[in-house]
Structures are given as C-alpha cells and as structure tokens.
C-alpha cells in the first residue's frame, strides 16, 4: 500500500464554458460516450480545457471552433465553480457568449438543445455544469 506522500496527485483541469443565450433559451450540449461513465452522455455548456499559456478567452474561442466549427464572441465572466470527480478535479469558469454567423456543427457532441432556464433542469448535467446552472 502506498503512503499518502507517494500517491499520484489527482489531475486538476482548468476548463472554460460558453453560456450562449438567444432570447430566453440557452445552448445545451450532450457529451459523447466516454470511459468516465459519470459524465458520459451528460449535458454541459460547450467549451473545454485551457491549455498552458492560453487565456480563458483564447481557449473558449479555440474550443468552440474545434468542437462546433463556430465562431463565438466572448463576453463577461459569469463565475467559477469547482468539483471533485472520482479521478480528477475541475475548475470550471463560464462566460456569457454570443454565437457568430451561421449554424454550429455537432463535431464532438451527441446532441444540442436550445432550452429555457426551467427546461434545463430536466437534463442530466455533469456535476460541475449543474453547479454552474445555479449561477445563471
């Protein structure tokens, strides 16, 4: 048995999310299937990991382009939540965003829905994104 000091440190991930609102509806994205069953096929706000040396703004623009082939405009910061999953820790910072011209594509998600704040409650969200819902 390993001593506490010899254990591998938990992975800590810094993630940004775009909260895109049109009228009274918000963009919700369904994650693909993954080996992490506790987040597989759950709903989230679009976004992704911040790479070393990258600002939140740069990461958000890059991630949305990679995952959805969509240009977004990043607005003000909504807030940050932290959550400890079984095998990693996440620090999720969300920003109000506006979609650019044209439609987005589902390149790395199973589904997308535009829902009111009340309708969003019925989805099976990742735990970190569920915490973010409380800030909206």
């Amino acid at each position: 048995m390993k001593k506490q000091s010899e254990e591998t440190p938990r992975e800590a991930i810094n993630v940004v999310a775009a909260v895109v609102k049109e009228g009274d509806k918000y963009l919700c994205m369904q994650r693909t299937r993954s080996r992490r069953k506790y987040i597989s096929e759950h709903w989230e706000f679009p976004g992704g990991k911040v790479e070393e040396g990258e600002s939140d703004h740069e990461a958000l623009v890059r991630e949305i382009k990679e995952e959805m082939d969509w240009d977004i405009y990043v607005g003000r910061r909504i807030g940050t939540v932290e959550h400890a999953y079984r095998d990693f820790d996440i620090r999720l910072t969300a920003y109000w965003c506006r979609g650019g011209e044209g439609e987005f594509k589902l390149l790395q998600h199973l589904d997308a829905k535009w829902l009111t704040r009340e309708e969003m409650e019925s989805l099976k969200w990742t735990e970190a994104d569920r915490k973010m819902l409380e800030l909206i």
Side-chain angles (χ1 to χ4, degrees):
M1 187 166 184
K2 290 183 179 181
K3 294 180 184 175
Q4 180 70 24
S5 61
E6 295 174 354
E7 287 183 10
T8 306
R10 287 172 57 87
E11 181 181 16
I13 302 173
N14 189 24
V15 175
V16 287
V19 178
V20 182
K21 185 177 180 187
E22 286 190 7
D24 68 341
K25 300 204 175 198
Y26 299 84
L27 180 59
C28 309
M29 307 295 288
Q30 187 178 27
R31 295 177 59 89
T32 59
R33 293 170 191 88
S34 74
R35 62 181 171 83
R36 292 178 167 143
K37 300 276 187 224
Y38 53 90
I39 58 175
S40 181
E41 299 183 45
H42 284 57
W43 291 82
E44 66 180 0
F45 293 106
K49 293 180 187 178
V50 179
E51 295 179 356
E52 191 172 330
E54 195 174 43
S55 71
D56 283 2
H57 178 274
E58 291 167 331
L60 205 43
V61 169
R62 176 187 51 76
E63 284 286 344
I64 299 302
K65 189 67 172 173
E66 289 174 2
E67 293 182 358
M68 302 165 68
D69 191 23
W70 203 33
D71 294 315
I72 60 162
Y73 300 96
V74 180
R76 75 176 169 81
R77 184 177 165 275
I78 296 170
T80 300
V81 297
E82 295 183 357
H83 185 75
Y85 287 103
R86 294 180 202 154
D87 54 350
F88 71 97
D89 297 323
I90 187 171
R91 182 174 191 266
L92 175 65
T93 303
Y95 293 83
W96 290 110
C97 295
R98 186 169 45 88
E101 298 299 316
E103 298 293 319
F104 61 83
K105 298 173 184 157
L106 292 177
L107 301 176
Q108 295 184 14
H109 290 91
L110 291 177
D111 197 5
K113 294 182 180 188
W114 290 95
L115 301 173
T116 64
R117 178 64 183 82
E118 294 74 31
E119 292 169 332
M120 292 164 68
E121 293 294 329
S122 66
L123 297 179
K124 188 174 183 180
W125 290 88
T126 66
E127 290 302 317
D129 286 87
R130 169 130 337 253
K131 288 180 180 181
M132 189 56 67
L133 277 176
E134 297 171 18
L135 300 180
I136 296 174

